[in-house]
């Protein structure tokens, strides 16, 4: 991969000597009631024509703020307080509102993060593309319409003519992102700012979109400023990398060099935490150094690995704790009048989960994996088939028995923001299941809350705080503590780490692994992220369109994927084929 | 869409019968004898009373009275008032006046309210916004009759721009002042609704993207902020149209307007079943149609809402 690096350097020396975009000592702050809070603190970077540069960092690192400062899109009270942003030698921070309007869209395109919220829901797609074209070119009337269709076709919507009159809610996330990319590139800008353009999309869709974006920008000679939290993605898509942490650039240089030999401690942590296909399952080593389990390192834990593997094999010899036999779930989608469409969300799915193991169900959105979780949790009824838990058929469980089942099987959901009641403090949240199942006295419950907080490594004082005062990772710990309150046998984790930053994700996965070996828990892990599966699962079921297309042990699936679909999923993992410096 | 509209109109049938039946029953159960009340301290001979009671079917049991009324209703006969006027004549006099008043008030509150709300939302926290909030709070908290008297005093008596009371025919020009009074409270609500909605939408992702596309500020505001912000305002306007059309007793009283509100009030006091029920029946229809209009406008403003079922 060294060719890429020399190539860019060569371009720089041969071609333009001055960068297309040069940011020097940029400082951005947000005015709050407690004064100016700095978000970007002295950032400098240069991007040359035709190059792709990625800014990597966790949420709150200031990467998006930096990008938005370039075309002055800062939200609310945000303000550039120092530094300059030279674009083709012109300082963008000094432009008037009208001059900036002429730069936006025409010279610097922008592709936003979330395709769901970045198109206006009340205007049709054609209108929203056309207004960008009209305002950035002299085109009017039929010419503008013609160009709109062209732009959308280039962005990968082959049936653009028929779709102009459709509204955003009739488009899938991937299609919306294509529309937004089309808008961003419609005026052939010299620079495209892509702010996490695919974070909200499935891994296979992400790959298609990014490939397409790469082709377009290469054809047009557009420079790309790529903002992402995903190191693997950044390494795969950009020649140059800038790592940001707490508003500062901590490291920058050619991607491959940084990945192979990260210098700054933060980059090292980031590189170490990036889950990839090269990782191995996390092994909790409670006897050796439980305080600092060297989780992601592959070597050095052989003894623990072997012991843990034998433990699991022993456990695996028993009967299935959960066994699912040929379950099917049919949804009836109401159409006009009395007609229904039938949607087979889960189609003849069978698998078993042994006590103390982790089974992952993987698939894209719409594959039916979350429906399987709901069926097992008895939140919805199966259309046909049988689910057994600990030898008992779950169908027909009622009243007390159902309550007992719920005690033993607890869920943890994806969104740590939505699944905690903002009006309830943490202590009450964790104690609520105990209260609902009438467990213990008020004093005992209080003791259990402290015990649980300790188990998920949160200080006891957390019990008096409210969800809005906590970070995403802390909230997910609380959700886990709440799920553990009733000492369940099984946790159903529905995308439980998908919303978290990579470092926090790593911490939560560690925690889950430790809890599993401490408490002998069984996990059913629902996720779209294969890299995470590699880290935690013993067995994997790959789902596609409601069916399980491949089910095997994790190592089998990753080393010899049999199905084409599984191979596609694996190939789509960003940065999958890099050797991270660890 | 057609199917949806038709279904909604069909729903009017049970609502119509339910409402008329209930109102008829309530008027029937009012204490006191309406005929005796007509004559005050000098009751006529029992034979005369019997004759009048028979004429108005008051000697029949309740259900028969209701059925006779409904039968007449569908033949276009709405009955007569105790003073001998056909109820249809009374309605023909009162409804046009109220309709003019309601439309004037609605136009005033919509135009002024949305404009002030939009500007306040765009300048959140600035002087204009703060003043708009204070004024709207004032209008909401001061009772209508106070606003009515103040405007009457300032514009009619001090400045002489308008007449203190409205003449019998109630032409548009004379209705401006009462419409202003009627619009004031709703104006305040619309300002607040629009302002909140605009300031919400201003921070929406698609507004930032619209700016990033290179659109001018006026275009971003009118195309991407205003239209999205109108949805809640339209709901309010629809409900308000309904309540304006059924009359405003206080405002009509202050300006001596012979509109729907005052007429119904009088009829209730006299216990005139057919008059009250006929008015209410029309009001029910107006309410249902106004709500239907709102729902259809909703779908026009926000394409995510489609009434296929």
């Amino acid at each position: 991969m060294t060719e890429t690096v020399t190539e860019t350097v060569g371009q720089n020396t041969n071609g333009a000597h001055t960068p297309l975009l040069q940011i020097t000592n940029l400082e951005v702050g947000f005015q709050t009631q407690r004064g100016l809070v700095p978000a970007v603190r002295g950032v400098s970077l240069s991007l040359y024509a035709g190059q792709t540069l990625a800014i990597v960092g966790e949420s709150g690192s200031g990467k998006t703020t930096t990008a938005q400062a370039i075309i002055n899109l800062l939200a609310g009270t945000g303000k550039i307080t120092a530094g300059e942003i030279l674009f083709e030698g012109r300082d963008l921070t000094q432009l008037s509102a009208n001059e900036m309007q002429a730069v936006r869209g025409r010279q610097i395109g922008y592709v936003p993060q979330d395709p769901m919220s970045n198109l206006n829901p009340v205007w049709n797609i054609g209108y929203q593309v056309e207004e960008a074209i009209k305002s950035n070119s002299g085109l009017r009337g039929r010419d503008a319409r013609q160009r709109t269709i062209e732009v959308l076709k280039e962005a990968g919507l082959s049936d653009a003519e028929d779709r102009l009159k459709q509204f955003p809610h009739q488009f899938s996330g991937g299609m919306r992102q294509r529309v937004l990319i089309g808008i961003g590139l419609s005026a052939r800008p010299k620079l495209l700012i892509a702010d996490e353009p695919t974070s909200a999309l499935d891994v296979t869709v992400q790959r298609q979109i990014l490939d397409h974006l790469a082709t377009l920008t290469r054809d047009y000679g557009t420079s790309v400023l790529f903002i992402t939290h995903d190191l693997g993605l950044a390494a795969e898509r950009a020649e140059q990398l800038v790592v940001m942490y707490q508003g500062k650039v901590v490291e920058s240089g050619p991607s491959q060099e940084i990945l192979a030999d990260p210098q700054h401690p933060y980059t090292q942590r980031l590189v170490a935490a990036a889950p990839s296909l090269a990782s191995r399952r996390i092994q909790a080593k409670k006897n050796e150094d439980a305080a600092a389990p060297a989780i992601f390192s592959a070597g050095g834990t052989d003894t623990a690995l072997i012991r843990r593997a034998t433990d699991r094999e022993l456990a695996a010899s028993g009967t299935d704790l959960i066994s699912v036999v040929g379950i099917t779930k049919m949804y009836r989608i109401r159409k006009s009048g009395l007609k229904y469409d039938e949607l087979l969300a889960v189609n003849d799915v069978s698998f078993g989960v042994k006590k103390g193991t982790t089974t992952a169900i993987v698939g894209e959105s719409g594959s039916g994996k979350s429906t399987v979780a709901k069926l097992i949790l008895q939140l919805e009824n199966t259309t046909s088939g049988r689910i057994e838990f600990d030898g008992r058929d779950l169908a027909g469980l009622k009243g007390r028995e159902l309550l007992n089942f719920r005690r033993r099987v607890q869920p943890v959901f994806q969104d740590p923001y939505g699944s905690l009641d903002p009006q309830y403090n943490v202590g009450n949240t964790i104690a609520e299941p105990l209260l609902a199942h009438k467990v213990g006295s008020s004093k005992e419950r209080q003791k259990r809350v402290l015990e649980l907080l300790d188990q998920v490594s949160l200080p006891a004082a957390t019990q008096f705080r409210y969800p809005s005062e906590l970070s995403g990772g802390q909230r997910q710990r609380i959700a886990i503590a709440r799920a553990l309150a009733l000492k369940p046998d099984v946790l159903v984790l529905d995308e439980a780490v998908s919303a978290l930053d990579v470092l926090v994700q790593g911490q939560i996965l560690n925690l889950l692994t430790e809890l599993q070996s401490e408490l002998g828990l069984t996990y059913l892990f629902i996720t779209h992220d294969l890299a995470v599966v590699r880290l935690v699962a013993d067995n994997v079921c790959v789902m596609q369109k409601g069916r399980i297309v491949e089910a095997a042990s994790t190592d089998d699936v990753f080393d010899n994927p049999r199905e084409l679909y599984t191979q596609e999923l694996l190939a789509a993992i960003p940065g999958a084929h890099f050797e991270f410096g660890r | 869409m057609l199917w949806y509209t038709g279904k909604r109109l069909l729903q009017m049938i049970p609502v119509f019968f339910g409402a008329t039946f209930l109102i008829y029953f309530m008027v029937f159960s009012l204490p006191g004898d309406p005929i005796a009340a007509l004559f005050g301290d000098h009751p006529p001979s029992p034979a005369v009373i019997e004759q009048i009671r028979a004429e108005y079917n008051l000697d029949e049991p309740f259900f028969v009275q209701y059925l006779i009324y409904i039968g007449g209703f569908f033949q276009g006969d709405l009955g007569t008032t105790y003073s001998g006027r056909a109820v249809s004549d009374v309605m023909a006099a009162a409804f046009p006046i109220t309709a003019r008043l309601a439309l004037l008030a609605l136009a005033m509150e919509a135009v002024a309210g949305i404009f002030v709300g939009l500007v306040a939302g765009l300048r959140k926290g600035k002087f204009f916004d703060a003043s708009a909030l204070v004024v709207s709070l004032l209008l909401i908290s001061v009772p209508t009759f106070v606003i009515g008297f103040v405007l009457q005093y300032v514009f009619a008596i001090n400045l002489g721009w308008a007449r203190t009371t409205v003449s019998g025919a109630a032409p548009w020009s004379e209705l401006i002042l009462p419409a202003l009074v009627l619009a004031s409270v709703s104006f305040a609500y619309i300002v607040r609704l629009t302002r909140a909605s605009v300031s919400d939408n201003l921070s929406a992702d698609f507004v930032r993207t619209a700016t990033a596309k290179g659109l001018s500020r006026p275009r971003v505001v009118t195309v991407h902020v205003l239209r999205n912000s109108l949805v809640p305002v339209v709901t309010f306007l629809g409900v308000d149209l309904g309540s304006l059309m059924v009359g405003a007793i206080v405002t009509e009283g202050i300006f001596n307007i012979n509109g729907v509100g005052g007429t119904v009030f009088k009829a209730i006091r006299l216990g005139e079943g057919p008059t009250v029920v006929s008015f209410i029946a029309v009001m029910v229809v107006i309410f249902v149609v106004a709500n239907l209009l709102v729902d259809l406008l909703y779908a026009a403003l926000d394409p995510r809402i489609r009434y296929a079922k």
Side-chain angles (χ1 to χ4, degrees):
Chain A
M1 285 298 207
T2 34
E3 295 91 347
T4 336
V5 179
T6 29
E7 200 178 273
T8 33
V9 173
Q11 256 178 19
N12 299 346
T13 41
N14 299 340
H17 287 279
T18 49
L20 177 71
L21 177 76
Q22 186 165 33
I23 299 178
T24 324
N25 292 322
L26 180 71
E27 292 189 18
V28 181
F30 286 89
Q31 194 68 48
T32 67
Q33 286 174 335
R34 273 177 279 172
L36 196 76
V37 176
V40 174
R41 304 184 294 177
V43 164
S44 301
L45 58 88
S46 345
L47 172 60
Y48 291 87
Q51 220 180 33
T52 297
L53 181 142
I55 305 182
V56 189
E58 57 191 11
S59 50
S61 62
K63 56 187 195 303
T64 295
T65 308
T66 306
Q68 291 178 349
I70 297 171
I71 44 175
N72 194 15
L73 281 184
L74 292 170
T77 57
K79 243 207 185 105
I80 297 172
T81 49
E84 56 175 20
I85 302 171
L86 290 179
F87 179 73
E88 296 191 303
R90 203 151 62 123
D91 188 356
L92 296 182
T93 60
Q94 304 301 324
L95 296 189
S96 70
N98 279 338
E99 289 169 326
M100 182 51 93
Q101 189 191 313
V103 171
R104 287 190 199 121
R106 213 169 297 187
Q107 294 176 47
I108 302 182
Y110 177 75
V111 179
Q113 173 165 12
D114 183 0
M116 297 301 162
S117 63
N118 275 292
L119 288 167
N120 190 334
V122 309
W123 294 104
N124 65 44
I125 296 290
Y127 182 87
Q128 295 190 54
V129 180
E130 202 173 314
E131 69 172 355
I133 287 165
K134 280 181 178 164
S135 83
N136 292 323
S137 68
L139 297 179
R140 289 287 173 272
R142 191 178 293 172
D143 295 342
R145 176 54 50 109
Q146 199 49 47
R147 177 81 185 116
T148 302
I149 294 168
E150 246 171 69
V151 161
L152 286 175
K153 280 197 169 154
E154 284 165 6
L157 287 173
S158 46
D159 48 354
E161 285 107 324
D162 306 328
R163 289 185 162 276
L164 289 182
K165 290 265 180 247
Q166 283 188 322
F167 289 91
H169 69 275
Q170 293 162 309
F171 277 48
S172 71
M175 280 157 60
R176 290 188 219 190
Q177 196 56 282
R178 285 178 191 278
V179 173
L180 287 163
I181 288 173
I183 291 173
L185 287 172
S186 63
R188 297 268 188 283
K190 295 191 184 90
L191 171 64
L192 185 74
I193 299 173
D195 186 0
E196 304 255 15
T198 55
S199 308
L201 304 174
D202 273 339
V203 61
T204 43
V205 182
Q206 166 177 312
R207 184 176 189 81
Q208 288 166 11
I209 300 256
L210 289 178
D211 283 348
H212 196 77
L213 183 64
T215 316
L216 289 180
T217 49
R218 195 180 53 231
D219 291 353
Y220 306 156
T222 314
S223 303
V224 180
L225 183 64
F226 196 73
I227 316 289
T228 180
H229 68 276
D230 188 334
L231 198 63
L233 197 71
E236 198 173 74
R237 301 291 169 180
E239 301 107 43
Q240 298 286 318
L241 216 58
V242 170
V243 181
M244 278 187 74
Y245 180 59
Q246 296 190 344
K248 287 183 180 152
V249 173
V250 295
E251 194 158 355
S252 64
S255 306
Q256 304 306 319
E257 278 177 31
I258 291 187
L259 283 188
D261 187 19
Q263 297 298 313
H264 192 273
Y266 176 75
T267 321
Q268 287 166 358
R269 273 167 64 208
L270 211 58
V271 169
S276 83
L277 297 185
S279 323
R280 283 280 174 263
R281 192 188 194 283
I282 307 175
Q283 306 296 341
K285 309 181 298 168
K286 50 181 171 177
N287 296 337
E288 283 149 47
D289 51 342
I295 301 310
F296 294 101
S297 56
T301 57
D302 290 348
T303 45
L305 229 152
I306 294 163
R307 199 191 57 239
R308 179 88 173 92
T310 31
D311 281 358
R312 272 211 305 280
E313 258 159 44
L314 275 177
S317 62
T319 50
D320 290 344
L321 184 62
I322 302 172
S323 81
V324 173
V325 188
I327 52 166
T328 300
K329 177 70 187 177
M330 179 100 76
Y331 286 109
R332 299 176 86 189
I333 298 169
R334 214 175 140 182
K335 291 204 326 192
S336 61
L338 296 170
K339 280 177 278 180
Y340 289 92
D341 258 355
E342 289 185 332
L343 176 83
L344 208 54
V346 174
N347 186 1
D348 191 20
V349 162
S350 306
F351 63 92
V353 181
K354 291 197 165 50
K355 192 168 167 44
T357 65
T358 301
T359 299
I361 302 182
V362 198
E364 295 177 292
S365 47
S367 61
K369 56 188 194 299
S370 283
T371 311
V372 170
K374 280 185 207 153
L375 294 174
I376 290 175
L377 284 166
Q378 292 289 293
L379 296 174
E380 299 212 19
N381 294 323
T382 48
T383 307
S384 67
R386 198 154 44 92
I387 302 172
E388 278 176 18
F389 176 71
D390 211 1
R392 292 204 53 180
D393 191 346
L394 291 184
L397 276 192
K398 280 202 184 70
R400 234 195 137 67
E401 288 175 325
L402 186 63
L403 214 61
N404 279 335
F405 165 73
R406 294 218 190 287
R407 267 175 83 154
R408 299 183 59 189
V409 180
Q410 288 276 313
V412 177
F413 293 108
Q414 171 168 14
D415 183 3
Y417 296 85
S419 58
L420 298 178
D421 187 334
Q423 306 290 332
Y424 252 43
N425 74 25
V426 168
N428 286 339
T429 298
I430 299 177
E432 200 183 11
L434 298 170
L435 210 60
H437 290 266
K438 303 192 180 67
V439 179
S441 66
S442 145
K443 248 200 192 129
E444 286 163 355
R445 284 198 290 266
Q446 175 65 16
K447 213 177 125 228
R448 178 86 180 120
V449 167
L450 292 178
E451 204 178 290
L452 285 162
L453 281 174
D454 185 54
Q455 273 180 351
V456 296
S457 313
L458 286 173
T462 316
Q463 62 174 316
F464 302 113
R465 300 179 68 185
Y466 286 85
S468 61
E469 302 163 5
L470 302 170
S471 73
Q474 286 172 320
R475 289 183 212 200
Q476 203 58 300
R477 282 172 194 268
I478 289 158
I480 292 169
R482 175 175 61 184
L484 291 175
L486 293 164
K487 302 188 178 163
D489 300 317
V490 179
L491 283 193
V492 176
L493 301 142
D494 190 355
E495 300 273 14
V497 296
S498 308
L500 305 173
D501 276 336
V502 58
L503 287 179
V504 183
Q505 189 178 33
Q507 289 164 5
I508 298 286
L509 292 177
N510 279 344
L511 173 73
L512 287 171
T513 318
E514 278 167 34
L515 289 170
Q516 183 167 46
S517 66
E518 258 176 61
L519 308 172
L521 291 169
T522 306
Y523 291 149
L524 188 64
F525 207 92
I526 316 288
T527 183
H528 68 274
D529 191 343
L530 274 167
V532 168
V533 169
R534 183 64 156 174
L535 292 173
V536 294
D538 299 302
N539 296 298
V540 184
C541 301
V542 181
M543 283 192 74
Q544 183 190 20
K545 291 178 185 155
R547 284 178 176 279
I548 291 187
V549 293
E550 182 157 2
S553 78
T554 308
D555 290 339
D556 277 357
V557 168
F558 278 77
D559 297 337
N560 321 296
R562 278 179 293 116
E563 294 293 321
L564 186 67
Y565 180 68
T566 315
Q567 288 164 10
E568 275 171 23
L569 278 179
L570 287 171
I573 299 177
H577 314 291
F578 291 119
E579 275 302 316
F580 288 94
R582 48 166 72 96
Chain B
M1 190 69 95
L2 255 173
W3 170 240
Y4 174 79
T5 313
K7 213 169 95 178
R8 285 288 302 266
L9 288 174
L10 280 179
Q11 280 173 3
M12 261 163 62
I13 296 171
V15 173
F16 173 84
F17 282 106
T20 50
F21 183 81
L22 267 177
I23 298 294
Y24 209 95
F25 179 72
M26 284 188 229
V27 176
F28 181 84
S29 330
L30 280 177
D33 183 349
I35 304 302
L38 275 180
F39 294 94
D41 289 341
H42 306 286
S45 68
V48 176
I49 291 187
E50 274 316 302
Q51 193 198 335
I52 297 175
R53 291 183 74 88
E55 194 182 319
Y56 289 100
N57 303 313
L58 292 178
D59 49 353
E60 305 282 355
F62 167 70
F63 278 102
V64 179
Q65 279 190 40
Y66 176 71
L67 287 179
I68 291 174
Y69 168 74
I70 285 293
F73 186 94
F74 283 107
Q75 290 162 27
D77 174 16
L78 302 180
T80 47
T81 66
Y82 292 141
S83 55
R85 252 178 109 190
V87 173
S88 49
D89 285 352
V90 181
M91 288 174 78
F95 267 108
I97 298 176
T98 296
R100 279 201 291 271
L101 190 61
L103 288 179
L104 260 181
L106 199 73
M108 286 179 184
E109 69 190 42
V111 172
I114 291 172
F115 178 76
V116 174
L118 175 65
V119 176
L122 292 175
R123 301 197 182 159
K124 204 176 171 188
K126 306 267 171 61
F127 179 74
F128 184 93
D129 178 37
S131 347
L133 284 183
V134 170
V135 170
S136 62
L137 188 65
L138 207 70
L139 288 175
I140 290 168
S141 31
V142 175
T144 319
F145 68 87
V146 176
I147 298 174
F149 285 134
V150 169
L151 291 189
Q152 210 175 28
Y153 181 76
V154 173
F155 288 106
I157 297 175
N158 266 7
L159 297 170
W161 290 356
R163 293 165 48 135
T164 45
T165 56
V166 173
S167 56
W172 289 94
S173 59
E174 290 181 13
L175 287 174
I176 291 175
L177 198 55
L180 203 61
V181 176
L182 214 49
S184 61
V185 176
S186 303
F187 162 78
Y189 282 116
I190 290 171
V191 166
R192 291 180 159 239
L193 264 177
T194 314
R195 172 188 177 272
S197 190
V198 163
S199 84
D200 262 7
N201 275 314
L202 264 184
S203 55
D205 284 346
F206 57 79
V207 170
R208 193 189 54 213
T209 303
T211 310
K213 280 198 256 184
L215 305 184
S216 68
R217 178 76 179 165
R219 193 174 165 92
V220 170
V221 168
T222 49
V223 174
H224 291 281
V225 177
L226 190 57
R227 177 167 171 186
N228 297 58
S229 306
L230 283 183
V231 176
V233 180
V234 163
T235 327
F236 181 84
L237 283 175
V239 175
D240 208 38
L241 175 67
S243 56
L244 285 172
M245 282 300 290
V246 302
I249 294 177
V250 175
T251 311
E252 286 178 9
I254 295 170
F255 291 95
N256 194 28
I257 302 167
N258 295 317
V260 171
T263 311
V264 174
F265 183 62
K266 252 183 276 170
I268 292 173
R269 284 214 317 208
L270 290 175
E272 288 180 341
T275 317
V276 179
V277 177
S278 304
F279 271 90
I280 302 280
V282 175
M283 291 173 185
V284 166
V285 173
I286 289 173
F287 256 103
V288 173
V289 171
N291 274 319
L292 179 62
L293 267 178
V294 168
D295 286 349
L296 294 180
L297 252 177
Y298 242 44
L301 278 175
D302 190 340
R304 283 168 298 181
I305 303 166
R306 288 284 184 240
Y307 305 106
K309 286 164 229 161

